[in-house]
């Protein structure tokens, strides 16, 4: 079926060639002159190659036909491309495949139309009228087995030619219809960009909503315990929960909206994720203190003049550092230091480790770095901090020592979006 399809696709080019050949040679009729039919066939193939070069979608059509009709193994069909031939290298490969398909298809189609009737006549020669043979121009082979054997040989020739053509096309399909190196590189770049965009959105979602949930959990627990003894504190905790969740829902809606839009604008560039910067640090500290964390903050006055990208990433790093203290240490004193040097920003978050977690952390995090395996009960926060720092050309390290958990991050000021 695949080869017969090639013969059908050859037909318009062959008809066009039958018009071209008489223009070059006088008194030639490719329809009646058998040798000139081969000349028209030879002229049709370059015309088909030209059509393949000018029609990029042909690669998709031919790949679909080969995948469905060529009898290829599953691992081979997976290699066939599903994209148009955008580059000239891909178009040249498609043209070679198209010419090969039409050549094999034209030969097999012609043999299929002419050989079976002739084979039947040869097989029936011994039982038919010899005079009729002379009228039809057939040799008088009625007296022997030469006629039937020739007919069977002709059928075998058609079958073997079909098998050989199909095998050759099946072998050539991955090379000529598969992805070119440029296609593979472009696909890898698209996938990398997509993963980077989704990871960026996931970090924003984790840091914003994760921090809010940690704070709300502690605030709700504190309000429940002192609801009867200290109603005023419970009221303040509920107010903090309301404000924290309102902001978290707003950020969640923003991130989910970008996810639905695939994180790209109409030009294909990543859409910047709206995020707070260090100018909102006081609000973050107030809400975290309302959750029970006692924070000693020392922030350099020059942080208000940081590049926007560095300021946003620094805010998220501080937010995640405080969230980690809330989740894993509880209501403990935290020391926050943000120092601005000539060419970098240094962030340090330190907090004591609760006694029930101290032995565990000594065993698994005494010499660990942020990029390592998350500690038990943890998530993706510390690797996310490391990734934020690494994308800006900086570094982040975290470790416990003498009962104190310390997160240290360095961000170069030259980073820009």
């Amino acid at each position: 079926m695949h080869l017969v399809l090639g013969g059908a696709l050859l037909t318009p080019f062959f008809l066009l060639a039958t018009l071209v050949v008489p223009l070059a040679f006088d008194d030639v009729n490719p329809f009646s002159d058998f040798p000139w039919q081969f000349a028209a066939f030879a002229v049709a193939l370059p015309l088909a190659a030209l059509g393949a070069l000018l029609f990029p979608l042909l690669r998709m059509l031919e790949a679909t036909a080969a995948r469905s009709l060529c009898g290829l193994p599953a691992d081979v069909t997976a290699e066939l491309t599903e994209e148009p031939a955008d580059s000239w290298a891909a178009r040249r490969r498609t043209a070679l495949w198209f010419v090969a398909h039409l050549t094999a298809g034209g030969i097999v189609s012609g043999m299929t139309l002419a050989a079976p009737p002739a084979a039947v006549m040869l097989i029936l020669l011994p039982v038919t009228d010899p005079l009729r043979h002379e009228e039809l121009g057939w040799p008088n082979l009625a007296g022997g087995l030469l006629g039937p054997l020739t007919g069977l040989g002709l059928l075998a020739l058609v079958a073997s030619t079909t098998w050989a053509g199909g095998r050759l096309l099946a072998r050539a399909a991955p090379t000529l219809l598969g992805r070119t190196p440029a296609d593979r590189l472009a696909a890898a770049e698209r996938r990398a960009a997509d993963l980077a965009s989704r990871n960026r959105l996931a970090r924003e979602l984790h840091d914003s909503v994760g921090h809010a949930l940690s704070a709300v959990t502690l605030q709700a627990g504190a309000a429940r315990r002192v609801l009867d003894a200290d109603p005023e504190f419970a009221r303040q905790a509920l107010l903090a929960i309301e404000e924290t969740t309102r902001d978290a829902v707003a950020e969640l809606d923003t991130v989910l909206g970008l996810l639905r839009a695939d994180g790209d604008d109409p030009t294909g560039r990543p859409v910047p994720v709206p995020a707070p910067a260090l100018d909102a640090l006081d609000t973050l500290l107030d809400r975290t203190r309302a959750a029970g964390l006692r924070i000693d903050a020392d922030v350099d006055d020059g942080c208000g003049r940081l590049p926007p990208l560095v300021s946003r990433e620094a805010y998220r790093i501080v937010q995640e550092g405080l969230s980690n203290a809330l989740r894993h240490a509880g209501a403990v004193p935290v020391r926050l230091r943000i120092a601005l040097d000539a060419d970098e920003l240094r962030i340090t978050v330190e907090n004591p480790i609760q006694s029930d977690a101290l032995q565990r952390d000594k065993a698994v995090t005494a010499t660990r770095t942020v990029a390592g395996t998350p500690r038990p009960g943890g998530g993706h926060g510390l690797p996310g901090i490391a990734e934020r720092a690494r994308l800006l050309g900086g570094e982040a390290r975290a470790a416990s020592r003498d009962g104190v958990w310390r997160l240290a991050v360095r961000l170069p000021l030259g980073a820009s979006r």
Side-chain angles (χ1 to χ4, degrees):
M1 290 298 299
H2 187 248
L3 292 171
V4 170
L5 175 62
L9 293 173
L10 176 67
T11 301
F13 299 102
F14 180 79
L15 293 177
L16 181 59
T18 59
L19 300 177
V20 174
V21 171
L23 296 178
F25 301 93
D26 296 332
D27 300 328
V28 169
N29 186 358
F31 289 103
S32 59
D33 298 336
F34 184 73
W36 287 103
Q37 292 182 9
F38 288 97
F41 179 75
V43 173
L45 296 179
L47 296 177
L50 180 61
L53 290 173
L54 300 178
F55 189 50
L57 292 177
L58 183 65
R59 183 169 72 162
M60 296 175 57
L61 300 177
E62 284 291 324
T64 301
R67 189 180 296 110
S68 304
L69 301 175
C70 247
L72 300 173
D75 57 336
V76 175
T77 58
E79 292 294 323
L80 302 187
T81 184
E82 297 180 355
E83 301 171 353
D86 295 327
S87 66
W88 283 108
R91 295 189 185 191
R92 287 192 293 271
R93 291 188 180 190
T94 304
L96 288 175
W97 166 266
F98 196 51
V99 169
H101 186 195
L102 268 58
T103 300
I107 294 173
V108 170
S109 297
M111 294 179 67
T112 304
L113 291 173
V120 171
M121 292 293 296
L122 290 171
I123 292 173
L124 296 178
L125 280 179
V127 297
T128 55
D129 185 3
L131 298 177
R132 184 63 175 169
H133 303 164
E134 296 177 1
E135 294 176 2
L136 295 175
W138 290 95
N140 187 7
L141 302 175
L145 297 178
L146 184 58
L149 291 177
T150 304
L152 293 175
L154 194 57
L155 293 177
L157 178 62
V158 174
S160 60
T161 302
T162 303
W163 177 85
R167 292 290 295 175
L168 289 175
L169 288 178
R171 286 180 175 271
T175 302
L176 299 181
L177 292 180
R179 293 179 176 86
T180 64
D183 293 333
R184 296 179 186 276
L185 179 59
E189 290 177 346
R190 287 193 298 269
R191 177 168 176 77
D194 180 68
L195 291 177
S197 177
R198 291 182 180 276
N199 287 339
R200 177 170 53 91
L201 295 175
R203 286 196 306 270
E204 296 296 331
L205 186 62
H206 174 275
D207 292 350
S208 60
V209 179
H211 174 79
L213 291 177
S214 298
V216 165
T217 300
L218 291 179
Q219 290 165 343
R224 177 180 56 81
R225 287 191 294 269
V226 301
L227 181 60
D228 297 329
D230 193 349
E232 180 60 27
F233 176 83
R235 187 178 298 108
Q236 294 177 358
L238 291 175
L239 178 61
I241 289 174
E242 179 184 356
E243 294 176 349
T244 301
T245 53
R246 183 186 299 114
D247 292 342
V249 168
E251 290 196 49
L252 178 61
D253 288 341
T254 300
V255 174
L256 291 180
L258 292 174
L259 283 174
R260 294 189 187 99
D262 293 330
D264 293 326
D265 65 10
T267 65
R269 294 189 298 269
V271 175
V273 178
L278 285 181
D279 54 5
L281 183 61
D282 290 340
T283 302
L284 173 65
L285 296 179
D286 291 341
R287 292 178 181 171
T288 308
R289 289 186 178 110
L293 210 61
R294 301 187 297 277
I295 304 175
D296 174 19
D298 182 7
V299 181
D300 197 299
D301 294 336
C303 289
R305 301 186 299 272
L306 291 174
L309 176 59
V310 176
S311 183
R312 290 196 299 269
E313 297 300 318
Y315 177 92
R316 289 303 195 197
I317 290 172
V318 171
Q319 185 182 50
E320 180 59 28
L322 298 178
S323 295
N324 282 339
L326 277 173
R327 283 194 294 265
H328 304 303
V332 297
V334 175
R335 183 182 181 186
L336 170 65
R337 295 291 181 267
I338 303 179
L340 181 63
D341 293 336
D343 57 352
E344 67 179 17
L345 181 71
R346 290 181 286 107
I347 301 172
T348 305
V349 181
E350 296 178 333
N351 63 271
I353 302 174
Q354 293 283 35
S355 58
D356 59 348
L358 180 57
Q359 297 302 321
R360 177 194 65 194
D361 285 332
K362 280 185 177 180
V364 298
T365 60
T367 59
R368 61 160 290 168
T369 64
V370 177
T373 304
R375 58 180 178 169
H380 301 285
L382 293 176
I385 291 176
E387 189 173 0
R388 288 181 184 277
R390 186 169 58 252
L391 290 176
L392 296 183
E395 63 177 358
R397 303 185 68 84
S400 62
R401 183 176 182 181
D402 298 331
V404 176
W405 180 264
R406 185 174 188 269
L407 169 68
V409 181
R410 180 183 61 81
L411 301 177
L413 299 182
S416 61
R417 191 175 294 276

